[in-house]
Amino acid sequence: MASAGSFGRLSLLLALSLCSALASTVPGEAPRRFWIEGDAFWKDGARFQIVGGDVHYFRIVPEYWKDRLLRAKALGLNTIQTYVPWNLHEPEPQSWEFKGFADIESYLRLAQELEMLVMLRVGPYICGEWDLGGFPPWLLTIEPALKLRSSDSTYLFLVERWWRVLLPKVAPLLYENGGPIIMVQIENEFGSFGDDKNYLHYLVQLARRYLGNDIVLYTTDGGTTNTLKNGAILQDDVFAAVDFSTGDDPWPIFRLQKKYNLPGKSAPLSAEFYTGWLTHWGESIATTTASSTAKALKSILCRNGSAICFQMAHGGTNFGFYNGANTGQTEFEYKADLTSYDYDAPIKEHGDVHNPKYKALRRVIHECTGTPLHPLPADIERASYGLVKLQKVASFFDIFDKICDPLKVAVSEQPLSMELTGQMFGFLLYVSEYQGKGPYSILSIPKVHDRAQVFVSCSLDDVRNQIYAGVIERWSSKTLQIPTLNCSSNIRLSILVENMGRVNYGPYIFDQKGILSTVEIDGVTLHHWKMYPLSFNLLDNLSKFQPIQQITDARASKVSSHGGSQTKLRDLSFYLNGNSEEPEFYEGHFHIDSNSTIKDTFISFRGWNKGVAFVNNFNIGRFWPVMGPQCALYVPAPILRSGDNIVVIFELHVPNPERTINLVKDPDFTCGPNR
């Protein structure tokens, strides 16, 4: 007897056949079809040159989707390429999200309304400088541990469950069914990761089960023999596209590409023509010149009808905690991506197109393809709303219990990863106790992902009375000298760990967060941990909390209540020497007149240290101006409102001495220790 799943697939295939028949039998119109033949792309009976670019729906507020697509069209693009991040759509197991930023169907239909085609990159792995390469972090909690991007049976079961939801939404939007999708990508640059062909074959079978046999499936891999050998799926008639560094001679790579496609099925396609590059915290902003990028584009586009997709046409923003990260030769060589994903793309993070790169690429596209020049859209207006004074509303240890669900507090002999406590993003507070000996102790955390702020206090004291001891970071020292307090009880050790973004590329992608090793004091392992997952859902209530007193008149006298005058001086020196670096919450307000047009802006964090910012309860991302290069975070107008607007800052260290932020018109990438 056929299963319910079989009946469901049969119904889907029947529906697709009917949809395809209807799309193909409109009186007076030829059937809609997109295919590869004679080493060229064909659409509806005519050769077709793909001039595409990545514009990611999940990095743009939905209110601006149309604007960004129109700017891409005015650039001369006829095709949009986008990833589909699994973690955005299944944030918890079998909890599906397809609204707001995740409303992919509306985005695809909008592209079609604007007469643009779509190349859809469905993963399940996407890379994309996106947290965990698009994988949901709850995958990291499964035991035994999954082998991601492999034939691991449990992993494949979860991929199938995800695609069983996603692909039926995609199927009616395929080109042959009347939609805009001409090609669907399987995995992403798998040849740079592994050689598990059974995994790739399974993905192809799964895709065809839901999408049919007519859709052009494709892979994208680096233009080398090894990467194409590992990543191409020639036996399954999957088109192998290539990517390579901008400026490389493309034609030897396109000739190599032909070896990994069926005869006549190797249309030259640079699926990731890099218009810029990503930037990590602590680096100089990555840029490429307009002239060199345009020259490289011309060498492909003006010859033999070759196709390209800009990576990126428009970068957008890593709002919230979704930025990715990279590693070097070891997992400790960790670098997190900026909040801005401007990418030095022709369409800037805030939508600007009046720049040399956009104009140069637009000229080349017109010259090589004859595409009519669409009028340049006007830039979206931006406003300088000026200085905003912030009020300190609470120190972290005053309210951490109020921004932590008591039902989610975890207790364990050893520290648990963030994922195992259910804390997939943000911060987790670890608390234990130990007996202090001598004037100081050595704290050792061999493996922390990614950044730990350490505090100590007497366990019988109010938890608010914390002394800051320092920071242990994934990429630097794993030990820390901490003071021994003169307590009549044990010493409480509090460790606030920040997940700065999961690795999205390379061998260390299984990137759990939190404390992933034992914690030792003077060589002795600490046990009995409590872990507090922090939620920022209550930030709109911050102003209701009572502001605490200043440190000089409240805490210094409390810290040393168990000791004599020498202890009091020693403990007080931690504060007076600038070590009072307890995380704090600040709140500010600015007003937009109801008669004024609400405009985009940027918040400059010059003078601040490191933290996260929220505007009207929307997480606009991380700031870290002391590291740089990004100084200001983008605030699109749809986040703002007429009347009162609320900015909340979670500053991890020392605030701007003036306790002000500046709302300015222009982005700024000139922060950092050497700038």
Side-chain angles (χ1 to χ4, degrees):
M1 179 179 289
S3 67
S6 298
F7 281 123
R9 288 192 292 274
L10 179 60
S11 299
L12 174 62
L13 289 173
L14 288 172
L16 289 178
S17 298
L18 178 60
C19 187
S20 180
L22 290 173
S24 303
T25 57
V26 177
E29 290 188 10
R32 289 170 63 91
R33 186 184 173 210
F34 182 88
W35 75 102
I36 306 173
E37 182 181 311
D39 291 336
F41 295 111
W42 293 76
K43 183 171 74 72
D44 301 338
R47 285 185 64 147
F48 182 76
Q49 185 173 25
I50 293 174
V51 185
D54 272 75
V55 181
H56 300 158
Y57 61 98
F58 46 91
R59 285 185 160 119
I60 309 165
V61 291
E63 294 88 343
Y64 279 173
W65 284 348
K66 184 175 183 178
D67 173 85
R68 300 309 194 254
L69 291 178
L70 284 172
R71 293 169 191 276
K73 186 171 184 178
L75 181 59
L77 306 189
N78 57 31
T79 304
I80 293 299
Q81 187 169 243
T82 184
Y83 293 119
V84 181
W86 182 0
N87 53 14
L88 185 71
H89 296 284
E90 194 182 2
E92 298 176 4
Q94 300 191 76
S95 174
W96 309 106
E97 185 60 61
F98 289 97
K99 296 179 180 178
F101 277 78
D103 189 356
I104 183 174
E105 292 167 280
S106 292
Y107 182 76
L108 296 174
R109 290 192 183 99
L110 181 58
Q112 183 173 23
E113 289 173 19
L114 300 177
E115 300 180 328
M116 302 192 79
L117 301 172
V118 173
M119 296 167 61
L120 195 64
R121 314 174 88 174
V122 296
Y125 165 80
I126 66 169
C127 186
E129 291 73 66
W130 192 253
D131 187 85
L132 200 57
F135 285 131
W138 51 262
L139 293 178
L140 306 182
T141 69
I142 294 171
E143 293 291 344
L146 296 181
K147 187 177 180 182
L148 300 175
R149 307 181 72 187
S150 79
S151 298
D152 180 307
S153 59
T154 305
Y155 167 70
L156 292 182
F157 168 79
L158 295 169
V159 171
E160 197 277 335
R161 190 177 74 185
W162 156 228
W163 276 11
R164 190 193 313 153
V165 173
L166 172 67
L167 297 187
K169 294 179 181 293
V170 168
L173 296 167
L174 299 180
Y175 188 75
E176 59 264 30
N177 296 332
I181 302 172
I182 55 172
M183 298 171 65
V184 173
Q185 181 177 302
I186 299 298
E187 249 275 346
N188 189 48
E189 297 182 324
F190 185 75
S192 300
F193 177 80
D195 58 1
D196 187 345
K197 292 291 186 177
N198 290 332
Y199 165 54
L200 297 179
H201 293 316
Y202 178 82
L203 294 182
V204 173
Q205 294 167 11
L206 193 60
R208 296 212 184 280
R209 183 191 309 172
Y210 292 103
L211 302 180
N213 294 320
D214 294 332
I215 183 66
V216 175
L217 299 180
Y218 71 110
T219 56
T220 298
D221 284 291
T224 68
T225 298
N226 191 56
T227 52
L228 283 166
K229 182 178 73 172
N230 291 339
I233 325 173
L234 182 146
Q235 303 94 320
D236 293 341
D237 192 16
V238 174
F239 171 62
V242 291
D243 57 34
F244 44 86
S245 298
T246 302
D248 285 356
D249 183 352
W251 295 101
I253 298 172
F254 289 145
R255 285 192 291 272
L256 178 65
Q257 177 193 4
K258 293 185 71 169
K259 297 181 180 179
Y260 296 92
N261 281 304
L262 293 175
K265 294 291 188 74
S266 194
L269 171 62
S270 173
E272 293 188 2
F273 178 92
Y274 301 110
T275 59
W277 197 246
L278 63 104
T279 304
H280 303 112
W281 292 108
E283 297 176 346
S284 297
I285 193 72
T287 60
T288 57
T289 66
S291 59
S292 64
T293 308
K295 180 180 178 181
L297 175 63
K298 188 172 182 178
S299 72
I300 297 175
L301 210 56
C302 281
R303 180 174 170 184
N304 200 28
S306 303
I308 57 92
C309 275
F310 289 146
Q311 174 84 2
M312 301 286 301
H314 168 63
T317 308
N318 294 318
F319 292 117
F321 297 122
Y322 277 110
N323 66 275
N326 291 100
T327 56
Q329 295 300 310
T330 73
E331 65 178 300
F332 299 109
E333 298 174 49
Y334 171 89
K335 291 185 177 182
D337 298 331
L338 302 182
T339 297
S340 171
Y341 196 63
D342 179 84
Y343 208 84
D344 196 31
I347 306 170
K348 299 305 178 187
E349 178 181 18
H350 52 289
D352 169 61
V353 296
H354 295 277
N355 62 77
K357 185 173 289 183
Y358 185 97
K359 294 174 182 177
L361 298 182
R362 185 168 177 259
R363 284 193 299 269
V364 170
I365 293 170
H366 175 66
E367 176 185 344
C368 294
T369 68
T371 302
L373 292 176
H374 297 278
L376 280 179
D379 280 339
I380 291 179
E381 290 189 59
R382 304 190 301 277
S384 294
Y385 292 110
L387 285 174
V388 176
K389 184 73 174 177
L390 274 66
Q391 165 104 23
K392 176 181 169 182
V393 291
S395 289
F396 168 73
F397 286 103
D398 291 336
I399 64 164
F400 82 91
D401 56 335
K402 296 181 177 66
I403 57 174
C404 173
D405 184 343
L407 298 178
K408 294 183 178 180
V409 175
V411 179
S412 175
E413 277 297 293
Q414 295 293 339
L416 300 175
S417 71
M418 285 188 171
E419 292 82 6
L420 287 176
T421 70
Q423 184 73 345
M424 301 302 168
F425 297 96
F427 300 82
L428 185 68
L429 179 67
Y430 294 80
V431 179
S432 185
E433 295 183 1
Y434 67 96
Q435 290 184 337
K437 299 176 182 178
Y440 61 86
S441 294
I442 299 298
L443 169 69
S444 172
I445 311 178
K447 194 171 183 180
V448 60
H449 289 190
D450 297 303
R451 192 170 186 272
Q453 290 171 260
V454 180
F455 305 87
V456 291
S457 62
C458 295
S459 62
L460 293 182
D461 277 5
D462 192 305
V463 72
R464 295 182 176 93
N465 299 331
Q466 298 285 337
I467 291 178
Y468 172 70
V471 173
I472 292 179
E473 295 164 325
R474 176 174 179 168
W475 56 91
S476 60
S477 173
K478 304 297 183 294
T479 62
L480 186 68
Q481 180 177 303
I482 56 178
T484 296
L485 306 183
N486 189 357
C487 302
S488 61
S489 58
N490 285 339
I491 296 175
R492 179 193 296 115
L493 177 68
S494 300
I495 305 171
L496 180 63
V497 178
E498 179 186 5
N499 164 5
M500 290 177 56
R502 293 182 182 84
V503 172
N504 59 264
Y505 180 82
Y508 303 111
I509 192 172
F510 198 95
D511 189 20
Q512 292 176 307
K513 296 301 184 181
I515 295 176
L516 306 177
S517 64
T518 59
V519 178
E520 296 182 354
I521 293 285
D522 297 329
V524 177
T525 299
L526 297 189
H527 299 280
H528 311 299
W529 289 89
K530 279 190 175 182
M531 286 141 284
Y532 299 83
L534 308 180
S535 169
F536 295 111
N537 294 334
L538 294 175
L539 288 183
D540 56 338
N541 296 322
L542 266 182
S543 59
K544 299 176 184 177
F545 301 136
Q546 291 296 318
I548 63 167
Q549 298 177 5
Q550 294 300 310
I551 183 65
T552 52
D553 56 25
R555 288 203 207 161
S557 59
K558 292 183 180 179
V559 165
S560 53
S561 57
H562 298 285
S565 58
Q566 291 301 314
T567 303
K568 184 180 295 185
L569 288 172
R570 184 186 70 229
D571 293 343
L572 182 57
S573 71
F574 267 82
Y575 297 109
L576 299 181
N577 291 335
N579 292 309
S580 177
E581 294 196 19
E582 178 183 342
E584 295 170 332
F585 289 93
Y586 294 84
E587 183 179 297
H589 298 251
F590 65 97
H591 185 85
I592 299 178
D593 191 277
S594 59
N595 296 322
S596 301
T597 301
I598 300 174
K599 300 177 182 178
D600 290 0
T601 194
F602 286 83
I603 298 181
S604 173
F605 288 92
R606 284 188 175 275
W608 293 81
N609 197 299
K610 188 182 195 306
V612 185
F614 305 82
V615 177
N616 296 331
N617 295 322
F618 181 90
N619 186 340
I620 63 170
R622 310 173 200 264
F623 61 88
W624 200 2
V626 296
M627 181 63 70
Q630 185 175 3
C631 309
L633 297 185
Y634 176 50
V635 185
I639 294 172
L640 304 176
R641 61 198 178 202
S642 295
D644 187 47
N645 291 267
I646 304 172
V647 180
V648 172
I649 291 176
F650 182 40
E651 166 60 66
L652 294 172
H653 292 281
V654 178
N656 178 320
E658 304 299 323
R659 297 189 180 182
T660 59
I661 53 174
N662 198 6
L663 277 66
V664 297
K665 282 186 177 182
D666 298 311
D668 186 356
F669 292 100
T670 59
C671 283
N674 299 318
R675 297 174 182 86

